Amino acid sequence: MQKILLSIILSLCCSLAWTQTKSIDSTAIAVKPKKNIDFNVMPYISYNRNLEFMFGAIPMMMYKINPADTISPKTLSGVSAIYTTNKSYFLALFNKFYFKEDSWRATFFFMTGNHNSQFYMDDIDAPDFYDYGTKTTILNFSVQRKIIKSLYGGIGYAYAHYDTTYEDDVQPASKTHTNGLQAIVLYDTRDAVYYPTKGEKIRMRWLTYPEWFGNDVNANKILSEYNKYIPMRSGTDVLAARFSGKFGLGAIAFEQQVTIGGEDIRGYSEGKYRGDGLMAIQSEYRYNFSKKMGVVGFAGLATIYGSDTPDFNWKMYPGAGVGYRYKAFKTVKFNVGLDAAVGKDDWGIYFRIGEAF
């Protein structure tokens, strides 16, 4: 009897020990949950003929608003703090939200700073560039809802306050604030929002600044863009093309005018060609020689209308250049980089957060 009892006790002990070992081993090989937030801090170094050298830092993070949502692209949130050697400074918050299985999209942007720049005047005794300084605060947000597949509609609000003074009092100092409402239509068939390799993006925005909404005068803007992406080299590279149109209607304030440059046409940084509206076309080849790095080559043409210098209106302004790209995040194809471009009697160097378009 004692031998039988001892055998039972030993069997129970062995069984318990085996169960414990099995549990520990199972825990040891369990897959750790993936991190929802991908964080990075990018240094900002750039130069142009207007702001001169620019230094700063841009902390950014990508994340899923709902980790269980496998359809929505990752949301992007970031902060940028930049100082320039012409004594300008900017602090900005930027967000692109994607949620509810990409049936909703939203943006939020806030910027404040002191922008020291220049503009060209030829209707005075000494035609030349003249400096101006603008203390600026801008707030912009919008929300879009998917209507049918690839088609979104939305609304937005834009606030801006400008306090501008001019060198040698060539124009009287001014304080301007605007409150704008916008209607948005977006058609998007891109395979990725941060680095598309195929598809199209068509966006139309109508911005209105009515007097009843706290504006001094009535004004309207129509902003349009058409981007096309074509895969090359079996999908390794991309050929991208873009048309952009910015049309100012009514009494457009000086600070609301557009200048040739930026994402519409690179190679112009002096701020010389300014007007109420702009149209531009450009193309870019994106060559990826590794998983993390690539180079681009681009060229385009732009024109303006509504300039205070009539000779600038409806002329062709070419721009062309090259750039370097580096993948900023591990889990999403999102590039940062540096572009160098030349234009008509001008040139510029541009630090890129994401692609030019």
Side-chain angles (χ1 to χ4, degrees):
M1 183 67 181
Q2 289 179 344
K3 289 182 179 181
I4 295 173
L5 184 60
L6 181 60
S7 298
I8 293 172
I9 293 172
L10 287 172
S11 298
L12 288 172
C13 289
C14 290
S15 176
L16 180 60
W18 181 86
T19 304
Q20 272 190 313
T21 304
K22 182 77 172 179
S23 176
I24 293 170
D25 289 342
S26 176
T27 304
I29 63 173
V31 177
K32 293 182 180 180
K34 293 181 179 180
K35 291 195 304 181
N36 185 39
I37 297 177
D38 195 354
F39 178 79
N40 205 345
V41 179
M42 301 303 301
Y44 184 97
I45 301 174
S46 191
Y47 177 85
N48 68 41
R49 301 174 71 187
N50 192 355
L51 297 173
E52 301 173 357
F53 283 101
M54 293 169 273
F55 310 91
I58 307 174
M60 298 181 292
M61 61 181 180
M62 281 189 172
Y63 56 94
K64 290 276 191 178
I65 294 177
N66 178 6
D69 183 351
T70 60
I71 297 176
S72 297
K74 283 193 171 184
T75 287
L76 173 68
S77 297
V79 180
S80 64
I82 298 169
Y83 179 79
T84 80
T85 52
N86 83 339
K87 298 182 180 179
S88 297
Y89 62 87
F90 308 95
L91 178 65
L93 308 175
F94 55 91
N95 296 269
K96 291 184 177 181
F97 300 103
Y98 303 90
F99 50 100
K100 293 288 185 181
E101 297 184 337
D102 204 20
S103 59
W104 288 91
R105 296 181 176 185
T107 63
F108 175 84
F109 177 79
F110 172 80
M111 189 272 284
T112 187
N114 187 29
H115 183 198
N116 297 316
S117 189
Q118 63 182 11
F119 72 109
Y120 186 81
M121 288 188 67
D122 69 345
D123 57 350
I124 57 176
D125 294 336
D128 202 349
F129 284 100
Y130 289 87
D131 293 336
Y132 70 92
T134 301
K135 295 179 180 178
T136 304
T137 300
I138 295 173
L139 173 68
N140 193 317
F141 64 85
S142 66
V143 60
Q144 299 102 51
R145 175 73 164 90
K146 183 182 288 186
I147 302 171
I148 58 175
K149 182 180 179 180
S150 303
L151 182 65
Y152 295 79
I155 57 173
Y157 169 74
Y159 168 82
H161 179 82
Y162 309 102
D163 185 353
T164 304
T165 57
Y166 299 89
E167 178 189 20
D168 298 332
D169 296 323
V170 294
Q171 289 191 26
S174 63
K175 290 186 179 181
T176 304
H177 70 272
T178 60
N179 293 279
L181 298 172
Q182 57 181 312
I184 305 162
V185 177
L186 170 66
Y187 177 73
D188 189 358
T189 63
R190 296 172 296 170
D191 59 342
V193 296
Y194 297 117
Y195 190 87
T197 62
K198 60 182 178 180
E200 297 174 319
K201 176 187 176 184
I202 304 171
R203 184 169 67 161
M204 298 284 294
R205 288 185 290 162
W206 174 54
L207 282 80
T208 182
Y209 303 90
E211 289 186 56
W212 60 263
F213 201 48
N215 297 288
D216 295 332
V217 293
N218 286 316
N220 294 274
K221 281 186 173 183
I222 298 173
L223 308 179
S224 62
E225 61 182 279
Y226 171 71
N227 300 340
K228 175 71 174 179
Y229 305 92
I230 303 170
M232 308 293 288
R233 284 207 310 142
S234 302
T236 302
D237 300 342
V238 181
L239 176 62
R242 171 181 170 86
F243 166 81
S244 173
K246 298 178 179 180
F247 309 99
L249 308 171
I252 301 298
F254 172 82
E255 296 87 355
Q256 289 180 306
Q257 288 183 317
V258 294
T259 56
I260 292 181
E263 66 179 357
D264 294 308
I265 187 78
R266 284 158 280 181
Y268 295 85
S269 61
E270 284 188 309
K272 182 176 182 178
Y273 304 107
R274 170 188 289 269
D276 291 344
L278 173 150
M279 288 181 286
I281 57 172
Q282 62 176 313
S283 62
E284 178 173 289
Y285 192 91
R286 299 167 182 170
Y287 175 73
N288 296 295
F289 57 84
S290 77
K291 291 183 178 180
K292 289 189 175 182
M293 290 184 287
V295 293
V296 301
F298 51 86
L301 284 170
T303 190
I304 58 170
Y305 70 88
S307 173
D308 292 334
T309 304
D311 287 344
F312 292 166
N313 290 329
W314 304 114
K315 300 292 178 62
M316 291 292 104
Y317 300 96
V322 295
Y324 167 78
R325 298 289 182 268
Y326 180 80
K327 185 179 176 182
F329 293 98
K330 294 180 179 179
T331 59
V332 176
K333 179 71 170 177
F334 181 91
N335 287 338
V336 297
L338 203 63
D339 290 342
V342 294
K344 182 180 179 180
D345 301 321
D346 203 352
W347 57 274
I349 297 175
Y350 308 86
F351 182 87
R352 298 242 68 91
I353 303 174
E355 298 302 328
F357 58 88

